[in-house]
Amino acid sequence: MREFPPILQAKNLTKTYGENVIFKNISLDVYKGETIVIIGPSGTGKSTLLRCLNLLTPVDSGQIFLEGEEITAPSVNQDQVRQKIGMVFQNFLLFNHLTALGNVMVGLTKVKKMPHNQAKEKALQELERVGLADRAHHYPAQLSGGQQQRVAIARALAMDPLVMLFDEPTSALDPELIGEVLGVMEQLAHEHMTMLVVTHEMGFAREVADRIIFMEKGRIVEEGTPEDLFERPQQARTREFLGRISELYGKREKG
Amino acid sequence: MKTIIRFLAFLVLISLPLSGCREAPQSRLERIKQAGVIKVGTSADYPPFEYVDESGNKVGFDIELMEEIGKRLGVKVEWVDMPFDSLIAGVQEGKIDCSISAFNYTEERDKVVDFSDPYYTAEDAFLVAETFTGTITQPEDVAQYKVGVQSGTTQDDWLTNVLKMPEQNLFRYDRADQAALDLKSGRIEVMMADAIPAKALAQKIGGLKIVYTGVLSSGPMNIVLPEGDTELAAAINDILKQLKQEGFIDQLAQKYLTE
Amino acid sequence: MVIQFFTYILQGTSVTLAVTLVALPLGLILGLAFALLYNYGGLWVSRLAAVYSLAMRGVPPVALLFVLYFLLSGRLVNLSPFWAGSISLGIISSAYQMEILRGALQAVGESQMIAARAIGMSRFQAIRYIILPQAIRLAIPPWSNEASIVLKDSSLVYALGVPEILRRAQQLSATTQQPFLAFGAAALIYFILVFLANRGLDLLAEKTKLPNAAA
Ligand SMILES: Nc1ncnc2c1ncn2[C@@H]1O[C@H](COP(=O)(O)OP(=O)(O)O)[C@@H](O)[C@H]1O
Ligand SMILES: [Mg+2]
């Protein structure tokens, strides 16, 4: 069922900040169309891993392959690689001086050099996809957090990425706004977008993920299907973490 | 659009008077004559020697004298107005061909520029308010008062280096008229200046009187010339000699320097 | 006579404006270049830019004016007093404009750069299309202040004999012995110029202002 090679493949990635080893020899395969959820305590290196995967931060050693091509090779044009890997941040990071439409268009016109009209049409489609066509001419400051994050998703989608990376996309949102963002992500999963999602939303992980990876202290402790991890965790650390997380988030999920 | 063009034209116009340095091994005098223009620096804020009238034309003793010198050299005078302190540097660096601005000879200046023969001998004067109650019988007496002077002038030099005035009693001004106004308002007690402009200032401002006149700081006035340019110096000195003999300079003094 | 008198000083306005309109844009171009070098140029380039800023803010404008006109002009380049003066003021202003823009660039923040890089923009594109448009908006109010300062500092070119407003006022003060009238007229003209410049930039700031609350 899985196509080879994986669409995104990390081999023995090691990352340090000075003395501080963030992760060591991490390997990871992401296959086309699958949704992987990464969970783990904060400070574990999840964000750093995502930033390394789309080359925003250089790794110390190891290789990353996108569609079988090594993107960590020195000759690679990193800007072109980043176009193909979408990224959604915890704090949205919309461009404050541009409208929702402008945020989605700017990558198309400036990076892809798409003609203005064509870019606008595509941008409107992407806003439609996240349910915000009617907010096209609003500036970020005029949008709610949930709306901003959906625009950020549309901005990434507009580049037609091969993979989407999400770094705690709902952590900065008020509880009542989380649903609309998770809804959009769920819809993307159904459309078979390849996604790598760091989140604490266990409901989303359970329902949507094809695979869950539990990371701690820069290591992948355990990985498997939602059933494997939630029902039959092999590692004590995983059980402990899941116990703590359901204490923190569990009530809301039921409500 | 029209205003933009006018503005550009204006920029070009003010950028035209470029400095006079050329590679050709031509003497300065030859170049002046060939161009038909001599660039003369002056600080036109020192009546009656050099100042502007209400429409901005340069007038005064020095101005008229230099215009006549230009005429006799067969060239037009192009006036370059600069603050007094910039004039020596201007001559030294060849930005102007010479400078006439009531300059007196000083050794310090002579190190970097040359002087023409004197064209007029200036006396110094001490000016006080009419209400002044002190006594000044000899020049040294001023040391005990608050004395104002135009900064960088020979009077400044005399007060500082010859009389060795205590610094806290010496007030230096950019322009003579500022000192005169402070004299009137009582901020200073004595003002030292060239006798002739001092008289003119006293008249104009009123309430001031001259208590001493004599040759102290300055003496003769000279035109400032580029260091080592004997050719230009000779030409100008020749003309000055003629003008003295013809009584032209006396006439000018009559016109500008007496009331 | 008063009318004539005022007219003569007023004629200096075109010089004052010309000096300002050369110095201010020159300072902006240099200041922007140095601000970008400072923020994005790497350790050594950034230190060099900081030294430039410190040196140019430390040097008295008149000193630079004299060096450029009396010492360099005629040897390396040929500059008229107008250009030497305007360029000197532009260079000095560039250090202050650099500080303004540097602050504005930092205020926009590194995260906007990261977001721009994440959609595949190069550093240059990110600066050009994302960082600068925001930084310039932030910079307008302090820049307006700097514009007023340059406008007033333009009077310094009188040291080279460029007949701007203040020099003309000095001359007429000497001639007429009416310093209050002469300098009062000069002050009035400066006030009007500064007022107009600030109003203009306020309007620009108003026009480019981003909406800040949900409707
Ligand atoms: N730019 C950086 N410089 C130095 N240390 C960093 C930097 N970014 C992250 N770290 C450190 O790396 C570790 C992992 O951080 P992060 O990847 O944000 O973890 P997570 O996303 O799992 O919470 C933390 O200890 C953090 O302090
Ligand atoms: Mg994180």
Side-chain angles (χ1 to χ4, degrees):
Chain A
M1 177 191 151
R2 285 174 176 173
E3 288 176 36
F4 281 87
I7 200 161
L8 181 69
Q9 187 175 33
K11 278 191 187 162
N12 299 320
L13 299 187
T14 297
K15 174 69 188 173
T16 57
Y17 282 118
E19 297 280 273
N20 202 357
V21 181
I22 309 302
F23 48 75
K24 200 168 181 180
N25 288 329
I26 280 200
S27 295
L28 178 70
D29 292 343
V30 182
Y31 293 92
K32 193 168 180 222
E34 76 172 337
T35 298
I36 299 180
V37 167
I38 302 179
I39 59 175
S42 81
T44 285
K46 304 182 298 294
S47 297
T48 307
L49 177 63
L50 291 196
R51 281 205 306 272
C52 287
L53 288 177
N54 80 339
L55 309 180
L56 282 173
T57 304
V59 287
D60 295 2
S61 63
Q63 292 165 300
I64 303 169
F65 297 87
L66 184 66
E67 286 190 309
E69 266 182 65
E70 190 191 340
I71 58 174
T72 35
S75 60
V76 161
N77 181 334
Q78 302 194 344
D79 295 334
Q80 270 171 19
V81 171
R82 281 191 214 97
Q83 285 182 50
K84 298 187 209 156
I85 304 178
M87 178 112 178
V88 175
F89 303 90
Q90 184 172 340
N91 298 315
F92 331 136
L93 302 188
L94 289 185
F95 306 132
N96 297 315
H97 64 302
L98 298 175
T99 59
L101 182 65
N103 266 276
V104 183
M105 273 178 74
V106 70
L108 297 173
T109 53
K110 304 306 180 194
V111 179
K112 292 207 160 175
K113 315 280 183 207
M114 195 182 276
H116 183 272
N117 283 339
Q118 200 183 330
K120 186 172 176 183
E121 199 175 317
K122 170 137 176 85
L124 282 170
Q125 278 169 15
E126 298 299 346
L127 284 173
E128 185 87 51
R129 200 166 164 192
V130 299
L132 285 175
D134 59 332
R135 292 286 184 274
H137 299 290
H138 286 55
Y139 283 88
Q142 297 171 309
L143 297 171
S144 72
Q147 291 170 333
Q148 289 189 54
Q149 193 61 298
R150 282 146 72 197
V151 173
I153 293 172
R155 175 176 72 183
L157 288 175
M159 304 303 285
D160 290 330
L162 297 170
V163 184
M164 286 280 285
L165 310 178
F166 293 82
D167 188 4
E168 300 198 29
T170 57
S171 294
L173 293 176
D174 291 337
E176 71 271 21
L177 302 176
I178 291 175
E180 60 187 78
V181 173
L182 291 180
V184 167
M185 291 166 64
E186 205 172 324
Q187 172 200 326
L188 288 178
H190 288 314
E191 292 168 12
H192 301 293
M193 170 59 74
T194 312
M195 302 199 287
L196 195 51
V197 183
V198 173
T199 186
H200 296 298
E201 295 296 331
M202 292 305 142
F204 177 84
R206 206 187 274 263
E207 307 270 300
V208 183
D210 298 302
R211 257 195 303 156
I212 297 181
I213 293 176
F214 173 53
M215 235 179 113
E216 191 179 50
K217 293 186 184 144
R219 286 186 317 114
I220 292 178
V221 175
E222 187 167 354
E223 78 171 275
T225 61
E227 297 81 57
D228 288 345
L229 250 89
F230 284 110
E231 313 306 336
R232 298 175 291 278
Q234 303 295 303
Q235 306 288 329
R237 298 288 309 127
T238 315
R239 275 196 294 278
E240 206 176 301
F241 176 77
L242 287 172
R244 238 181 320 124
I245 212 86
S246 62
E247 228 170 77
L248 274 174
Y249 293 82
K251 291 188 186 104
R252 200 178 64 227
E253 274 172 37
K254 283 175 195 131
Chain B
M1 194 59 210
K2 224 165 148 191
T3 44
I4 293 176
I5 290 173
R6 241 190 254 159
F7 174 69
L8 287 179
F10 171 76
L11 278 188
V12 170
L13 251 173
I14 41 186
S15 58
L16 274 181
L18 294 168
S19 95
C21 299
R22 292 289 173 274
E23 308 95 44
Q26 208 179 16
S27 82
R28 184 182 307 267
L29 186 61
E30 280 168 32
R31 185 184 44 72
I32 289 169
K33 288 196 162 159
Q34 199 172 40
V37 171
I38 185 166
K39 289 175 71 167
V40 184
T42 193
S43 180
D45 52 14
Y46 196 57
F49 288 98
E50 43 267 324
Y51 56 105
V52 295
D53 64 18
E54 276 80 10
S55 22
N57 303 311
K58 291 188 181 58
V59 288
F61 180 99
D62 286 348
I63 305 294
E64 209 166 308
L65 174 61
M66 195 66 219
E67 293 280 358
E68 184 62 27
I69 294 172
K71 206 182 288 172
R72 294 186 186 211
L73 281 172
V75 298
K76 261 192 55 155
V77 173
E78 182 192 318
W79 288 107
V80 179
D81 172 66
M82 281 186 195
F84 190 74
D85 288 338
S86 302
L87 287 170
I88 297 281
V91 174
Q92 201 183 339
E93 296 301 327
K95 304 296 174 189
I96 45 184
D97 296 315
C98 64
S99 175
I100 186 163
S101 205
F103 273 106
N104 297 118
Y105 176 91
T106 65
E107 258 175 53
E108 230 166 283
R109 288 173 184 161
D110 196 25
K111 282 180 201 151
V112 291
V113 290
D114 281 351
F115 287 88
S116 74
D117 292 340
Y119 58 85
Y120 182 76
T121 299
E123 287 180 313
D124 299 300
F126 291 122
L127 207 56
V128 297
E130 271 165 7
T131 52
F132 181 69
T133 51
T135 45
I136 297 174
T137 47
Q138 47 183 6
E140 290 73 23
D141 295 343
V142 300
Q144 55 193 305
Y145 300 108
K146 288 191 222 164
V147 183
V149 68
Q150 186 178 5
S151 145
T153 56
T154 54
Q155 289 84 13
D156 183 6
D157 187 56
W158 185 82
L159 288 167
T160 312
N161 297 317
V162 180
L163 192 60
K164 299 202 179 354
M165 280 275 300
E167 275 292 319
Q168 74 271 17
N169 265 0
L170 189 54
F171 297 81
R172 296 188 178 84
Y173 294 84
D174 275 350
R175 301 185 321 277
D177 59 299
Q178 295 170 328
L181 286 169
D182 269 9
L183 185 63
K184 191 174 177 187
S185 71
R187 231 165 289 169
I188 54 174
E189 294 163 297
V190 181
M191 169 183 170
M192 185 178 185
D194 275 336
I196 289 159
K199 254 179 245 167
L201 273 175
Q203 276 233 324
K204 216 153 198 171
I205 290 174
L208 304 177
K209 64 181 180 189
I210 287 174
V211 287
Y212 178 92
T213 312
V215 177
L216 295 173
S217 72
S218 43
M221 290 182 185
N222 324 69
I223 297 172
V224 170
L225 297 163
E227 178 81 350
D229 192 335
T230 49
E231 192 190 12
L232 181 62
I236 286 183
N237 284 336
D238 271 354
I239 295 171
L240 284 176
K241 205 157 137 197
Q242 288 169 24
L243 291 175
K244 269 181 225 166
Q245 279 166 2
E246 292 168 20
F248 182 88
I249 291 183
D250 286 342
Q251 279 168 24
L252 275 187
Q254 200 69 35
K255 177 171 172 190
Y256 284 103
L257 308 181
T258 57
E259 258 65 38
Chain C
M1 180 191 126
V2 172
I3 299 281
Q4 245 184 338
F5 179 87
F6 196 79
T7 314
Y8 179 66
I9 297 181
L10 197 60
Q11 281 161 357
T13 308
S14 55
V15 183
T16 296
L17 284 178
V19 172
T20 307
L21 290 180
V22 172
L24 208 51
L26 176 68
L28 180 61
I29 292 166
L30 286 177
L32 181 59
F34 277 102
L36 291 173
L37 288 176
Y38 182 91
N39 271 26
Y40 303 109
L43 185 63
W44 283 103
V45 172
S46 153
R47 280 188 189 168
L48 274 177
V51 167
Y52 172 85
S53 162
L54 210 59
M56 288 309 145
R57 284 179 297 143
V59 69
V62 174
L64 188 63
L65 219 70
F66 268 55
V67 168
L68 205 60
Y69 182 62
F70 287 121
L71 297 182
L72 297 185
S73 174
R75 303 210 165 92
L76 300 175
V77 279
N78 233 350
L79 294 173
S80 70
F82 169 81
W83 284 106
S86 304
I87 290 172
S88 308
L89 288 173
I91 289 174
I92 288 185
S93 176
S94 74
Y96 291 94
Q97 296 194 50
M98 166 187 163
E99 293 301 321
I100 291 170
L101 291 165
R102 187 166 77 100
L105 288 170
Q106 270 160 10
V108 171
E110 190 56 27
S111 59
Q112 291 279 311
M113 170 66 88
I114 292 172
R117 301 303 301 273
I119 56 168
M121 286 195 179
S122 64
R123 273 169 89 74
F124 176 81
Q125 286 175 323
I127 291 169
R128 165 76 183 76
Y129 299 114
I130 305 301
I131 309 285
L132 272 183
Q134 298 183 57
I136 285 170
R137 282 181 173 85
L138 294 175
I140 292 174
W143 196 81
S144 166
N145 191 38
E146 174 64 13
S148 313
I149 290 171
V150 170
L151 194 63
K152 284 184 283 183
D153 275 359
S154 70
S155 68
L156 286 169
V157 299
Y158 96 89
L160 304 182
V162 182
E164 46 61 70
I165 296 172
L166 202 63
R167 178 61 180 157
R168 286 164 185 259
Q170 284 183 345
Q171 291 174 340
L172 283 179
S173 164
T175 301
T176 60
Q177 299 306 327
Q178 291 184 307
F180 294 114
L181 201 52
F183 290 108
L188 182 67
I189 296 171
Y190 277 114
F191 173 78
I192 292 171
L193 292 179
V194 167
F195 177 80
L196 289 178
N198 283 352
R199 274 306 294 148
L201 286 165
D202 282 352
L203 283 178
L204 183 66
E206 195 61 41
K207 267 199 117 152
T208 56
K209 199 178 152 205
L210 298 171
N212 50 17

